[in-house]
Amino acid sequence: MKNFDFRSDTVTHPTPDMRAAMANAEVGDDVYGDDPTVNALERSAADRLGKEAALFVPSGTFGNQLALLTHTGRGDEVILGDGCHILMHEVGASSVIAGVQLRVLPAFAGQMKLEAVEKAIRGQDIHYPKTGLIAMENAHSCGRVLPLEYMEALYGLARSYGVPVHLDGARLFNAAAALGVEAKALAAQTDSVMLCLSKGLCAPVGSLLLGRQGFIDRARKNRKLMGGGMRQAGILAAAGQLALDEMTCRLETDHKRARYLAECLKDIPGVDVIEEALDINMVFCKMTLSESDDVVCKALLEKGIKINGAEDGLYRFVTHYWTDEAAIQGLVAAIRPYVTTV
Ligand SMILES: *Cc1c(COP(=O)(O)O)cnc(C)c1O
């Protein structure tokens, strides 16, 4: 059965090669450090990103929250931008797990103003919490990419105050592809970085947290505390290795498909594509439909096409490994009859 799923790049099933690698993976008990497939994945990810060490974790949320827990102490303040995943989509975990306070600054296209960040870094007054961390997100889930120069400037600022920086790089390789740089160049502008293997990279499960050796050693212990010590995790890491080695090299195709989808949507009178937010594999648009989102989503589902309803007035379509041009044409043809121009 054909199933064209534009809801997210998290819906990507493992490729046949991944399933074969999983079936044949050599495994051990990773809590003992004995799983050769996990160890190889962690080593090669660290080398690829120019970090000293890496740690395989169950999810992106887990990796971000583990980074917060490992960088900060209870009651510390974490500076981050509004709209970011750690703030909006991690169930308030920062206050539950790390026990930190979030200092939220306005973000424009995913970027906090540097002057605002500098002003938000706390001084020595006895009343103040300690500024424990600054977090960035790149690619940002608003569809934008932060330029390398911005990351350099923010990291330079943070270092001048002795504050560590974490990068939520769930789509780090999308950002690198969009910017035309190595992912290593982006990772160099942070103390720690989390990346997801299970988004557009097709691995079924898993993310990585990377940083200095001492940080990752502490994170490994904290991962156990959080219940993320996994046993024969090489089964998962085997797919993650292919995600890292092969799938990271084809993301420009997804980005091209997103631009193609945007062009097709623009041909429909009444669809307003947000052109500035077309940096990666996401297309955001405004449109008025003749039926409710529920009705339209259900009608499309009957044709084997999955989409989400609008969020804050915006529809989001995500391209990935399993959505080719034919799928895009199918999506556009299926939506067209519902778009109104009033
Ligand atoms: C998806 C995502 C995460 C979390 O990943 P999960 O594996 O879904 O927990 C974190 N940050 C960003 C920017 C994301 O898009």
Side-chain angles (χ1 to χ4, degrees), residues 55-218:
L55 186 67
F56 187 57
V57 294
S59 71
T61 300
F62 196 111
N64 278 336
Q65 296 301 328
L66 177 60
L68 264 56
L69 177 65
T70 307
H71 278 298
T72 63
R74 290 180 79 78
D76 280 5
E77 201 163 59
V78 175
I79 298 174
L80 39 65
D82 60 8
C84 77
H85 199 278
I86 292 173
L87 174 72
M88 299 297 289
H89 293 123
E90 299 189 5
V91 209
S94 320
S95 63
V96 178
I97 299 170
V100 291
Q101 162 165 307
L102 299 182
R103 181 86 176 273
V104 183
L105 303 183
F108 308 89
Q111 300 177 30
M112 301 176 278
K113 294 232 182 296
L114 294 180
E115 312 81 71
V117 173
E118 184 161 21
K119 244 174 104 181
I121 295 174
R122 301 285 192 168
Q124 294 302 324
D125 188 294
I126 194 172
H127 301 87
Y128 289 161
K130 178 184 163 198
T131 300
L133 186 67
I134 299 172
M136 286 189 256
E137 185 174 311
N138 202 14
H140 199 279
S141 37
C142 68
R144 307 290 185 92
V145 164
L146 314 186
L148 182 56
E149 301 72 42
Y150 173 81
M151 294 184 68
E152 280 167 1
L154 185 56
Y155 192 40
L157 173 68
R159 270 193 305 187
S160 71
Y161 285 91
V163 179
V165 171
H166 173 67
L167 173 63
D168 176 349
R171 296 187 182 83
L172 179 73
F173 288 99
N174 293 89
L179 292 167
V181 301
E182 294 286 335
K184 194 181 232 177
L186 304 179
Q189 304 310 321
T190 66
D191 295 287
S192 61
V193 54
M194 183 285 290
L195 66 91
C196 288
L197 299 164
S198 63
K199 290 210 163 153
L201 303 181
C202 289
V205 178
S207 293
L208 289 160
L209 179 65
L210 303 101
R212 290 187 193 86
Q213 187 66 53
F215 171 82
I216 293 298
D217 290 345
R218 287 184 289 122

